[in-house]
Amino acid sequence: VENLRWIQGGVTAAKGFVAAGIAAGIKRSRKPDLALVAVAHPAAAAAVFTTNRVQAAPVLISRARIRRGCAQAVLINSGCANCLTGPVGMRDALRLGRATAKALRIVERDVLLASTGLIGRRLPVARVERAVPRLIAQLGPAGHAEAARAILTTDRRAKEAAVEAVIGGRACRVGGMAKGAGMIAPSMATMLCVLTTDAAAPARWLGGLLREAAEETFNRLSVDGDMSTNDTVFLLAGGGSGVAVRPGTAGARTFARMVTAVAGRLARLMAEDAEGGSRVMEVEVVGGRTEQEAQACARRIAGSLLVKTMLAGGDPNVGRIAAAAGSSGARFDPQALEVHIGPQRVVARGAALPLGAAVARRLVSRPAVTVRVHLHAGRGAGRMLTCDLTEEYVRINARYHT
Amino acid sequence: VENLRWIQGGVTAAKGFVAAGIAAGIKRSRKPDLALVAVAHPAAAAAVFTTNRVQAAPVLISRARIRRGCAQAVLINSGCANCLTGPVGMRDALRLGRATAKALRIVERDVLLASTGLIGRRLPVARVERAVPRLIAQLGPAGHAEAARAILTTDRRAKEAAVEAVIGGRACRVGGMAKGAGMIAPSMATMLCVLTTDAAAPARWLGGLLREAAEETFNRLSVDGDMSTNDTVFLLAGGGSGVAVRPGTAGARTFARMVTAVAGRLARLMAEDAEGGSRVMEVEVVGGRTEQEAQACARRIAGSLLVKTMLAGGDPNVGRIAAAAGSSGARFDPQALEVHIGPQRVVARGAALPLGAAVARRLVSRPAVTVRVHLHAGRGAGRMLTCDLTEEYVRINARYHT
């Protein structure tokens, strides 16, 4: 997008935000597992949460706190989801929030919480509580990289992004970090993500904007179709840049593009880092009777195990794409169906076109593959991002220990 | 069920039916790939087909022909789905039906057709047509085993079942054969299956009964959630036993149980033979607000990749079961959720119970595992049959050649 500039700095790129990440002893591996993002004054805040009926304790707490529209810190742990832990899990989460608020000398309800990791096990709460002062001692603008590392589970790489743009003559920034490589699902915010900005904006407006950005990015990403109990995206607007975004202005549109750009980059990084994934596939559906039908069709193709294993094998079995489209609920004339893989047309008027074996193999053996389906039934369009399903995915998930 | 007796004989167990299977040269492997089931006089006939919008040529033809309520032969080939083949695929299928009718000296429209195998490639129609007389020369009551073998694709084992029961003082039989190991999906008839009976019954009534039986059996089976373009279940009632089933009588209820028993056995054989599968999982959901919600919940759990990989690893990660239940759309209080694996309660009042590692491993390392979820929200119940997702599944499907 025209005047956006990609910059370094992740979740602390925005002026006023500090972060830290340490190993608090939740993971047996002794890898970093506790992260904090904070800002000097309460920031306008919004969030999107999982729609799963089973929700982790930190999700329940953060959901209640965010209604007030402000927050000053986000405490995240990996290595334990603190979900399916009953009343004791709620007490554990509240206790960690309280310890954080006390050490930061801020209002308890201004602390947001998120957890990720194994479901059904308690946090080693005393050990984590003891680690909080050490975590806070590390807080700083350079802490973004350690914080991004401390929220990972099966991810291979930390995921950070930040952009800068000029609004009303002044530079402002949106940055963020995310985690997520599995249990990434076809509906609702699909992982943990913290977005920060040094622009100021009304919390309620930020909420709408965040939902739209999530819809365009995280919600169009599917790794395995499983929906987590802990999915959370936070957006904190601290105002440190002096830029005030007013809804309805050109500046607001620029700001929305900034948020969507950072969210989109983080979603792409998640697809590239998907558990066991070796290549990314973009599915684009056009010509749907409605937007909804085109999106459902893209979602179905992206979620098909047979399409995803085909992609792992690097072998373009176009029948699987057509079968997935046909079972998506989208209405279309099968004799008008058209499919492209990359620049190559592979199905025309509902019939598979003969391809040389060499051409065929080349089509789906790139690191990023685009499948474009034309339903010829209207003007609806949809899009999804996914990855292949490999033996490695099964290995990882068959052995993710209880 | 009380007076049903399991017998040998598969699709020719019912008096009057003959079958054969040969290698017609469709598969490169030279394995059997062409099967025929026939009966001396036109039989009352019903069918259930895929609801996929993309349907193979033989599905389109059989769907039109079955409306007349009668049939005398079923020609099935494996090795090629004859789908996504456009008008030429329709001509190929019609030509094979015509050749079969001519050689059998029966009415062309009394020949039903089905195909299974790779989508998007033409049948070697001349070669298959030349093989038809040889196929017909092999027809006989002993041909059921060869026919059952000739319809397989990635299946490891042929699938046959038959039962006998007494209706109105006379013995009658229902038998069948099926294929299906992958592309087995959560809605609608999920593979190819031919059921035959020597009872007589009105075709329209048979249709309703077959839909109900499929709903209870094949439609509750999910291997990979992918819905085929070729799924077909045929039921032919030849009347050779002299038993006439009258709707609404006790005999009709016995007959319905016979059909459901054979379909259920064949569905179970498919689950056990699922691509790459090493164990079968039965998911039972009780306490749903409605039947629909309980069934949706069972379907979601059975379809979850994380649950299926957990099963492959033999490691009971109960959080994945709860997360799948929570994302199914079924309404329930997460703090009332209860889960059993086999006889062991693993989640109570929405919290995971601590299990010893040895106990935990034992729970999901049997060849057949039962997961029972109680939603405590009403009286609705649902049930699904599935299998684990293994590295072998990925290997098979990444390499299924184009």
Side-chain angles (χ1 to χ4, degrees):
Chain A
V1 190
E2 68 281 24
N3 60 347
L4 303 194
R5 196 165 63 85
W6 292 102
I7 57 171
Q8 298 295 311
V11 79
T12 57
K15 206 177 292 179
F17 285 89
V18 289
I22 62 166
I26 306 166
K27 290 178 179 166
R28 286 191 213 160
S29 64
R30 309 250 114 222
K31 284 188 183 164
D33 50 20
L34 192 63
L36 184 64
V37 177
V39 59
H41 304 283
V48 188
F49 298 100
T50 180
T51 56
N52 199 304
R53 193 161 277 264
V54 175
Q55 303 192 345
V59 170
L60 297 171
I61 294 167
S62 297
R63 191 190 285 282
R65 291 185 176 173
I66 204 86
R67 287 209 192 94
R68 297 155 54 245
C70 69
Q72 198 169 348
V74 183
L75 181 74
I76 305 182
N77 75 274
S78 58
C80 172
N82 193 8
C83 181
L84 223 64
T85 42
V88 78
M90 287 296 282
R91 283 200 295 273
D92 290 348
L94 287 168
R95 182 169 158 190
L96 294 184
R98 204 173 306 125
T100 305
K102 203 173 156 199
L104 285 173
R105 297 180 195 187
I106 65 174
V107 175
E108 183 181 344
R109 299 185 66 191
D110 280 345
V111 179
L112 300 173
L113 300 166
S115 297
T116 178
L118 192 75
I119 302 174
R121 182 169 294 175
R122 266 190 80 178
L123 274 167
V125 65
R127 198 183 312 154
V128 181
E129 192 178 26
R130 280 195 303 275
V132 167
R134 182 158 53 92
L135 177 68
I136 287 171
Q138 305 270 328
L139 274 177
H144 63 90
E146 275 307 301
R149 228 190 327 263
I151 64 174
L152 306 181
T153 54
T154 55
D155 309 60
R156 287 168 294 193
R157 285 184 290 275
K159 294 162 190 72
E160 299 187 278
V163 293
E164 185 177 78
V166 173
I167 294 181
R170 273 189 166 158
C172 71
R173 295 169 161 197
V174 174
M177 63 179 187
K179 66 81 51 176
M183 218 187 224
I184 288 192
S187 101
M188 250 304 294
T190 41
M191 35 5 96
L192 298 189
C193 175
V194 182
L195 300 173
T196 55
T197 178
D198 49 17
R204 191 176 293 272
W205 180 75
L206 287 175
L209 180 147
L210 184 61
R211 271 188 296 279
E212 274 174 39
E215 193 51 56
E216 288 289 308
T217 57
F218 303 127
N219 285 354
R220 300 205 165 180
L221 173 65
S222 164
V223 168
D224 49 20
D226 276 277
M227 185 197 284
S228 158
T229 50
N230 290 53
D231 296 336
T232 302
V233 182
F234 291 124
L235 171 58
L236 275 69
S241 66
V243 171
V245 177
R246 260 173 292 277
T249 62
R253 286 188 290 280
T254 299
F255 182 72
R257 277 204 304 275
M258 293 171 78
V259 172
T260 303
V262 172
R265 170 70 68 100
L266 291 171
R268 179 88 192 185
L269 289 173
M270 282 192 280
E272 286 171 6
D273 197 23
E275 282 174 356
S278 67
R279 51 179 66 98
V280 166
M281 177 171 67
E282 260 185 293
V283 180
E284 220 186 295
V285 175
V286 297
R289 281 175 66 121
T290 64
E291 292 290 308
Q292 287 70 26
E293 290 194 10
Q295 188 56 36
C297 184
R299 208 173 276 289
R300 182 79 181 188
I301 294 168
S304 158
L305 263 62
L306 289 171
V307 171
K308 288 157 72 70
T309 48
M310 165 198 102
L311 196 65
D315 195 9
N317 191 323
V318 300
R320 295 179 179 182
I321 299 169
S327 68
S328 67
R331 291 162 295 173
F332 63 94
D333 174 3
Q335 292 180 44
L337 185 68
E338 194 180 341
V339 181
H340 281 78
I341 300 178
Q344 177 80 46
R345 194 159 65 154
V346 294
V347 174
R349 295 175 178 234
L353 300 172
L355 292 178
V359 173
R361 285 222 147 250
R362 221 174 307 132
L363 284 180
V364 292
S365 51
R366 300 164 201 267
V369 173
T370 303
V371 169
R372 192 160 178 277
V373 174
H374 203 320
L375 299 177
H376 288 288
R379 305 188 62 170
R383 201 167 46 79
M384 281 293 286
L385 190 59
T386 188
C387 63
D388 54 351
L389 174 64
T390 63
E391 295 170 47
E392 182 63 15
Y393 174 90
V394 177
R395 257 193 298 279
I396 292 168
N397 284 294
R399 288 170 200 175
Y400 193 69
H401 97 286
T402 45
Chain B
V1 189
E2 68 281 22
N3 60 346
L4 303 194
R5 196 164 65 84
W6 292 101
I7 56 171
Q8 299 296 310
V11 78
T12 56
K15 206 177 289 179
F17 285 89
V18 288
I22 61 166
I26 305 166
K27 291 178 180 166
R28 285 192 214 158
S29 64
R30 308 252 114 220
K31 284 187 184 164
D33 52 18
L34 193 63
L36 185 64
V37 177
V39 57
H41 303 283
V48 188
F49 298 101
T50 181
T51 56
N52 200 305
R53 195 160 276 267
V54 176
Q55 304 192 343
V59 170
L60 297 171
I61 294 166
S62 298
R63 194 190 283 282
R65 291 184 176 174
I66 203 87
R67 286 208 194 95
R68 298 156 53 247
C70 68
Q72 199 170 346
V74 183
L75 181 74
I76 305 180
N77 75 274
S78 58
C80 171
N82 193 8
C83 181
L84 224 63
T85 42
V88 78
M90 286 297 281
R91 282 200 295 274
D92 289 347
L94 288 168
R95 182 169 157 192
L96 295 184
R98 204 173 307 124
T100 305
K102 202 174 154 199
L104 285 173
R105 297 179 193 187
I106 64 173
V107 175
E108 183 181 344
R109 299 185 68 193
D110 280 344
V111 179
L112 300 172
L113 300 166
S115 298
T116 179
L118 193 75
I119 302 174
R121 183 168 293 174
R122 266 191 78 179
L123 273 168
V125 63
R127 198 183 312 155
V128 181
E129 192 178 25
R130 279 196 304 275
V132 167
R134 184 158 52 90
L135 178 67
I136 287 171
Q138 305 270 329
L139 275 177
H144 62 91
E146 275 307 303
R149 230 194 321 266
I151 63 175
L152 306 181
T153 53
T154 56
D155 309 60
R156 287 169 292 192
R157 284 183 289 277
K159 295 163 188 72
E160 299 187 277
V163 292
E164 187 176 75
V166 173
I167 294 181
R170 273 190 167 158
C172 71
R173 294 167 161 200
V174 173
M177 63 180 188
K179 68 80 53 175
M183 217 184 225
I184 288 193
S187 101
M188 249 305 295
T190 42
M191 40 3 101
L192 298 189
C193 174
V194 182
L195 299 174
T196 55
T197 178
D198 48 18
R204 189 177 294 271
W205 180 76
L206 287 175
L209 180 147
L210 184 61
R211 272 188 296 280
E212 275 175 38
E215 194 48 58
E216 288 289 309
T217 57
F218 303 126
N219 285 354
R220 300 206 165 180
L221 173 66
S222 164
V223 168
D224 50 19
D226 275 278
M227 186 198 285
S228 157
T229 49
N230 291 52
D231 295 337
T232 302
V233 182
F234 291 124
L235 170 59
L236 275 69
S241 67
V243 172
V245 177
R246 259 173 292 277
T249 62
R253 288 189 290 280
T254 300
F255 182 72
R257 278 205 304 275
M258 292 172 78
V259 172
T260 303
V262 171
R265 170 71 66 98
L266 292 170
R268 179 87 193 190
L269 290 172
M270 282 192 283
E272 286 172 5
D273 197 24
E275 282 173 357
S278 68
R279 54 178 64 99
V280 166
M281 178 170 65
E282 258 183 294
V283 179
E284 219 186 296
V285 175
V286 297
R289 278 175 68 120
T290 63
E291 292 289 309
Q292 287 70 26
E293 290 193 11
Q295 187 57 37
C297 184
R299 210 173 275 291
R300 182 77 181 189
I301 295 169
S304 158
L305 262 61
L306 289 171
V307 172
K308 288 156 71 69
T309 49
M310 164 198 102
L311 196 65
D315 196 9
N317 191 322
V318 301
R320 295 180 178 179
I321 298 170
S327 69
S328 66
R331 291 162 294 172
F332 63 93
D333 174 3
Q335 291 179 46
L337 185 68
E338 193 181 342
V339 181
H340 282 76
I341 300 179
Q344 177 79 45
R345 195 159 64 157
V346 294
V347 174
R349 295 174 179 238
L353 300 173
L355 291 179
V359 174
R361 286 225 145 246
R362 219 174 308 132
L363 285 180
V364 292
S365 52
R366 299 164 202 267
V369 172
T370 303
V371 169
R372 189 158 179 280
V373 174
H374 201 321
L375 300 176
H376 288 289
R379 306 188 60 170
R383 201 167 48 79
M384 281 293 285
L385 189 61
T386 188
C387 62
D388 54 350
L389 175 63
T390 63
E391 295 170 46
E392 181 64 15
Y393 174 90
V394 177
R395 256 194 299 279
I396 291 169
N397 284 294
R399 287 169 200 174
Y400 193 69
H401 98 288
T402 47

